Short mmCIF file of all heavy atoms in Angstrom, two decimals:
data_model
loop_
_atom_site.label_atom_id
_atom_site.label_comp_id
_atom_site.label_asym_id
_atom_site.label_seq_id
_atom_site.Cartn_x
_atom_site.Cartn_y
_atom_site.Cartn_z
N HIS I 14 77.71 109.23 102.05
CA HIS I 14 77.48 110.15 103.20
C HIS I 14 76.55 109.47 104.24
O HIS I 14 76.87 109.74 105.42
CB HIS I 14 76.91 111.45 102.80
CG HIS I 14 77.83 112.40 102.07
ND1 HIS I 14 78.54 113.27 102.97
CD2 HIS I 14 78.32 112.61 100.90
CE1 HIS I 14 79.46 114.07 102.24
NE2 HIS I 14 79.24 113.62 100.86
N TYR I 15 75.71 108.70 103.86
CA TYR I 15 74.84 107.91 104.77
C TYR I 15 75.66 106.93 105.61
O TYR I 15 75.64 107.02 106.90
CB TYR I 15 73.89 107.14 103.95
CG TYR I 15 72.95 106.25 104.84
CD1 TYR I 15 71.73 106.72 105.19
CD2 TYR I 15 73.34 104.91 105.19
CE1 TYR I 15 70.76 105.83 105.98
CE2 TYR I 15 72.50 104.14 106.02
CZ TYR I 15 71.24 104.54 106.42
OH TYR I 15 70.52 103.74 107.13
N ILE I 16 76.61 106.27 104.96
CA ILE I 16 77.54 105.48 105.70
C ILE I 16 78.52 106.22 106.59
O ILE I 16 78.58 105.92 107.80
CB ILE I 16 78.35 104.59 104.72
CG1 ILE I 16 77.49 103.57 103.86
CG2 ILE I 16 79.53 103.85 105.48
CD1 ILE I 16 78.21 102.90 102.72
N PHE I 17 79.04 107.32 106.10
CA PHE I 17 79.98 108.12 106.91
C PHE I 17 79.30 108.59 108.12
O PHE I 17 79.84 108.56 109.19
CB PHE I 17 80.47 109.25 105.95
CG PHE I 17 81.52 110.13 106.55
CD1 PHE I 17 82.86 109.88 106.51
CD2 PHE I 17 81.11 111.24 107.38
CE1 PHE I 17 83.81 110.70 107.15
CE2 PHE I 17 82.10 112.00 108.03
CZ PHE I 17 83.46 111.76 107.91
N ASN I 18 78.00 109.18 107.86
CA ASN I 18 77.34 109.78 109.06
C ASN I 18 76.98 108.83 110.20
O ASN I 18 76.90 109.12 111.32
CB ASN I 18 76.01 110.47 108.52
CG ASN I 18 76.29 111.72 107.72
OD1 ASN I 18 77.39 112.21 107.70
ND2 ASN I 18 75.29 112.10 106.96
N ASN I 19 76.89 107.47 109.75
CA ASN I 19 76.47 106.42 110.70
C ASN I 19 77.67 105.85 111.42
O ASN I 19 77.50 105.34 112.51
CB ASN I 19 75.75 105.41 109.94
CG ASN I 19 74.20 105.68 109.97
OD1 ASN I 19 73.46 105.50 110.92
ND2 ASN I 19 73.73 106.28 108.87
N ILE I 20 78.82 105.89 110.86
CA ILE I 20 80.00 105.08 111.47
C ILE I 20 81.19 105.98 111.83
O ILE I 20 81.98 105.46 112.46
CB ILE I 20 80.45 103.97 110.56
CG1 ILE I 20 81.17 104.42 109.27
CG2 ILE I 20 79.28 103.03 110.27
CD1 ILE I 20 81.91 103.23 108.60
N ASN I 21 81.21 107.20 111.27
CA ASN I 21 82.38 108.07 111.57
C ASN I 21 82.63 108.37 113.02
O ASN I 21 83.77 108.38 113.47
CB ASN I 21 82.32 109.34 110.72
CG ASN I 21 83.56 110.10 110.92
OD1 ASN I 21 84.79 109.73 110.62
ND2 ASN I 21 83.44 111.31 111.43
N GLN I 22 81.40 108.55 113.79
CA GLN I 22 81.59 108.91 115.15
C GLN I 22 82.20 107.75 115.90
O GLN I 22 82.95 107.94 116.98
CB GLN I 22 80.31 109.25 115.74
CG GLN I 22 79.38 108.19 116.15
CD GLN I 22 78.56 107.64 114.95
OE1 GLN I 22 78.77 108.01 113.83
NE2 GLN I 22 77.74 106.68 115.18
N ILE I 23 82.09 106.50 115.48
CA ILE I 23 82.77 105.33 116.12
C ILE I 23 84.15 105.35 115.95
O ILE I 23 84.92 105.19 116.75
CB ILE I 23 82.05 104.04 115.68
CG1 ILE I 23 80.58 103.95 116.09
CG2 ILE I 23 82.83 102.91 116.22
CD1 ILE I 23 79.69 102.87 115.44
N PHE I 24 84.51 105.47 114.51
CA PHE I 24 86.01 105.26 114.18
C PHE I 24 86.90 106.48 114.72
O PHE I 24 87.93 106.34 114.97
CB PHE I 24 86.05 104.97 112.77
CG PHE I 24 85.72 103.57 112.52
CD1 PHE I 24 84.43 103.31 111.95
CD2 PHE I 24 86.53 102.47 112.69
CE1 PHE I 24 84.06 102.05 111.70
CE2 PHE I 24 86.15 101.21 112.38
CZ PHE I 24 84.98 100.95 111.93
N ASP I 25 86.27 107.68 114.58
CA ASP I 25 87.00 108.85 115.00
C ASP I 25 87.56 108.80 116.50
O ASP I 25 88.68 109.24 116.68
CB ASP I 25 86.25 110.14 114.71
CG ASP I 25 87.04 111.30 114.67
OD1 ASP I 25 87.73 111.41 113.67
OD2 ASP I 25 87.08 112.22 115.57
N LYS I 26 86.87 108.06 117.33
CA LYS I 26 87.29 108.02 118.69
C LYS I 26 88.40 106.87 118.75
O LYS I 26 89.19 106.92 119.77
CB LYS I 26 86.10 107.66 119.53
CG LYS I 26 85.11 108.76 119.65
CD LYS I 26 83.92 108.40 120.53
CE LYS I 26 82.97 109.57 120.66
NZ LYS I 26 81.69 109.17 121.37
N LEU I 27 88.58 106.06 117.78
CA LEU I 27 89.49 104.96 117.78
C LEU I 27 90.89 105.49 117.16
O LEU I 27 91.90 104.83 117.32
CB LEU I 27 89.02 103.70 117.01
CG LEU I 27 87.72 103.12 117.56
CD1 LEU I 27 87.20 102.00 116.63
CD2 LEU I 27 87.93 102.65 118.95
N PHE I 28 90.78 106.46 116.26
CA PHE I 28 91.87 106.97 115.63
C PHE I 28 92.83 107.72 116.54
O PHE I 28 92.41 108.38 117.51
CB PHE I 28 91.54 107.96 114.48
CG PHE I 28 90.77 107.30 113.32
CD1 PHE I 28 89.92 108.04 112.63
CD2 PHE I 28 90.86 106.00 113.00
CE1 PHE I 28 89.12 107.47 111.59
CE2 PHE I 28 90.16 105.47 111.94
CZ PHE I 28 89.30 106.24 111.28
N ILE I 29 94.13 107.57 116.29
CA ILE I 29 95.15 108.37 117.05
C ILE I 29 94.87 109.91 116.73
O ILE I 29 94.31 110.27 115.73
CB ILE I 29 96.54 108.04 116.77
CG1 ILE I 29 96.83 108.34 115.25
CG2 ILE I 29 96.93 106.60 116.98
CD1 ILE I 29 98.38 108.21 114.88
N HIS I 30 95.36 110.72 117.57
CA HIS I 30 95.15 112.19 117.40
C HIS I 30 95.82 112.62 116.08
O HIS I 30 95.28 113.54 115.41
CB HIS I 30 95.65 112.96 118.54
CG HIS I 30 95.46 114.41 118.38
ND1 HIS I 30 94.30 115.09 118.71
CD2 HIS I 30 96.31 115.50 118.06
CE1 HIS I 30 94.37 116.40 118.54
NE2 HIS I 30 95.58 116.57 118.08
N ASP I 31 96.89 112.10 115.80
CA ASP I 31 97.67 112.60 114.66
C ASP I 31 97.56 111.83 113.28
O ASP I 31 98.45 111.61 112.57
CB ASP I 31 99.20 112.75 115.02
CG ASP I 31 99.46 113.83 115.95
OD1 ASP I 31 99.43 114.95 115.56
OD2 ASP I 31 99.59 113.58 117.22
N SER I 32 96.26 111.43 112.99
CA SER I 32 95.78 110.98 111.77
C SER I 32 95.07 112.15 111.19
O SER I 32 93.98 112.53 111.73
CB SER I 32 94.92 109.71 111.83
OG SER I 32 94.39 109.45 110.71
N TYR I 33 95.51 112.73 110.11
CA TYR I 33 94.95 114.03 109.69
C TYR I 33 93.93 114.07 108.50
O TYR I 33 93.24 115.01 108.42
CB TYR I 33 96.10 115.02 109.27
CG TYR I 33 97.27 114.90 110.29
CD1 TYR I 33 98.64 114.48 109.81
CD2 TYR I 33 97.19 115.27 111.67
CE1 TYR I 33 99.61 114.51 110.74
CE2 TYR I 33 98.23 115.35 112.46
CZ TYR I 33 99.46 114.95 112.10
OH TYR I 33 100.46 114.87 113.01
N SER I 34 93.84 112.99 107.72
CA SER I 34 93.01 113.11 106.60
C SER I 34 91.58 112.74 106.88
O SER I 34 91.26 111.89 107.64
CB SER I 34 93.47 111.96 105.53
OG SER I 34 92.64 111.81 104.47
N CYS I 35 90.64 113.55 106.29
CA CYS I 35 89.20 113.29 106.25
C CYS I 35 88.72 113.26 107.70
O CYS I 35 87.84 112.48 108.13
CB CYS I 35 88.83 111.94 105.66
SG CYS I 35 87.11 111.72 105.21
N ARG I 36 89.13 114.31 108.54
CA ARG I 36 88.71 114.30 109.84
C ARG I 36 88.40 115.81 110.24
O ARG I 36 89.03 116.74 109.91
CB ARG I 36 89.71 113.80 110.82
CG ARG I 36 90.06 112.24 110.68
CD ARG I 36 91.01 111.79 111.65
NE ARG I 36 90.39 111.92 112.99
CZ ARG I 36 91.19 111.63 114.11
NH1 ARG I 36 92.58 111.37 114.06
NH2 ARG I 36 90.75 111.57 115.27
N LYS I 37 87.29 115.96 110.93
CA LYS I 37 86.89 117.33 111.32
C LYS I 37 87.97 118.06 112.24
O LYS I 37 88.33 117.42 113.21
CB LYS I 37 85.48 117.33 112.05
CG LYS I 37 84.87 118.73 112.37
CD LYS I 37 83.47 118.50 113.00
CE LYS I 37 82.89 119.92 113.22
NZ LYS I 37 81.47 119.69 113.76
N GLY I 38 88.27 119.19 111.84
CA GLY I 38 89.22 119.97 112.53
C GLY I 38 90.62 119.58 112.28
O GLY I 38 91.57 120.15 112.97
N LYS I 39 90.92 118.62 111.39
CA LYS I 39 92.25 118.28 110.98
C LYS I 39 92.58 118.78 109.53
O LYS I 39 92.29 119.88 109.19
CB LYS I 39 92.42 116.65 111.17
CG LYS I 39 92.03 116.23 112.59
CD LYS I 39 93.07 116.69 113.63
CE LYS I 39 92.67 116.12 115.00
NZ LYS I 39 92.88 114.77 115.16
N GLY I 40 93.22 117.93 108.74
CA GLY I 40 93.48 118.34 107.34
C GLY I 40 94.97 118.67 107.15
O GLY I 40 95.73 118.46 108.08
N THR I 41 95.29 119.13 105.90
CA THR I 41 96.67 119.29 105.50
C THR I 41 97.33 120.41 106.37
O THR I 41 98.50 120.17 106.81
CB THR I 41 96.84 119.67 104.10
OG1 THR I 41 95.94 120.85 103.84
CG2 THR I 41 96.36 118.46 103.21
N HIS I 42 96.68 121.55 106.53
CA HIS I 42 97.36 122.61 107.34
C HIS I 42 97.58 122.19 108.71
O HIS I 42 98.72 122.44 109.34
CB HIS I 42 96.37 123.85 107.26
CG HIS I 42 96.93 125.01 107.95
ND1 HIS I 42 98.14 125.56 107.69
CD2 HIS I 42 96.36 125.74 108.97
CE1 HIS I 42 98.44 126.63 108.47
NE2 HIS I 42 97.35 126.82 109.26
N TYR I 43 96.66 121.50 109.36
CA TYR I 43 96.73 121.00 110.70
C TYR I 43 97.90 120.00 110.86
O TYR I 43 98.82 120.11 111.73
CB TYR I 43 95.51 120.32 111.26
CG TYR I 43 95.56 119.89 112.70
CD1 TYR I 43 95.24 120.75 113.74
CD2 TYR I 43 95.94 118.59 112.98
CE1 TYR I 43 95.32 120.45 115.06
CE2 TYR I 43 95.99 118.24 114.26
CZ TYR I 43 95.68 119.05 115.25
OH TYR I 43 95.75 118.69 116.65
N GLY I 44 97.99 119.18 109.88
CA GLY I 44 99.06 118.09 109.75
C GLY I 44 100.44 118.86 109.64
O GLY I 44 101.45 118.41 110.39
N ILE I 45 100.50 119.79 108.74
CA ILE I 45 101.82 120.42 108.69
C ILE I 45 102.28 121.20 109.88
O ILE I 45 103.47 121.01 110.40
CB ILE I 45 101.72 121.57 107.48
CG1 ILE I 45 101.49 120.84 106.07
CG2 ILE I 45 102.96 122.46 107.43
CD1 ILE I 45 101.08 121.76 105.12
N ASN I 46 101.32 121.82 110.58
CA ASN I 46 101.72 122.41 111.84
C ASN I 46 102.06 121.50 112.95
O ASN I 46 102.96 121.78 113.84
CB ASN I 46 100.55 123.32 112.31
CG ASN I 46 100.43 124.65 111.52
OD1 ASN I 46 101.33 125.08 110.96
ND2 ASN I 46 99.23 125.20 111.37
N ARG I 47 101.39 120.34 112.95
CA ARG I 47 101.75 119.31 113.93
C ARG I 47 103.14 118.78 113.81
O ARG I 47 103.83 118.56 114.75
CB ARG I 47 100.75 118.12 113.84
CG ARG I 47 99.37 118.52 114.56
CD ARG I 47 99.44 118.79 116.08
NE ARG I 47 99.68 117.43 116.70
CZ ARG I 47 99.82 117.26 118.01
NH1 ARG I 47 99.85 118.34 118.84
NH2 ARG I 47 99.95 116.06 118.62
N ILE I 48 103.57 118.54 112.54
CA ILE I 48 104.87 117.92 112.35
C ILE I 48 105.89 119.05 112.65
O ILE I 48 106.98 118.82 113.18
CB ILE I 48 105.01 117.51 110.85
CG1 ILE I 48 104.03 116.48 110.45
CG2 ILE I 48 106.45 117.17 110.55
CD1 ILE I 48 104.22 115.21 111.29
N ASP I 49 105.65 120.38 112.32
CA ASP I 49 106.44 121.42 112.77
C ASP I 49 106.63 121.38 114.30
O ASP I 49 107.69 121.67 114.82
CB ASP I 49 105.93 122.76 112.23
CG ASP I 49 106.79 123.98 112.69
OD1 ASP I 49 107.96 123.92 112.42
OD2 ASP I 49 106.21 124.83 113.32
#
């Protein structure tokens, strides 16, 4: 969690919008609705 808290804010901005795993506000339900 120490590592995650220090670097996630950097990488989350580099990810495409439609990468759904392990991201705040995303997840399986969000991914299903986006594909729909």
Side-chain angles (χ1 to χ4, degrees):
H14 280 271
Y15 177 95
I16 294 170
F17 184 91
N18 291 343
N19 274 278
I20 69 171
N21 183 57
Q22 80 280 2
I23 293 173
F24 286 98
D25 198 66
K26 293 177 181 177
L27 301 177
F28 295 152
I29 65 168
H30 182 81
D31 287 286
S32 169
Y33 311 122
S34 173
C35 193
R36 297 181 67 190
K37 188 175 181 180
K39 304 291 175 73
T41 56
H42 180 56
Y43 183 85
I45 291 165
N46 284 334
R47 283 291 287 178
I48 297 302
D49 178 55

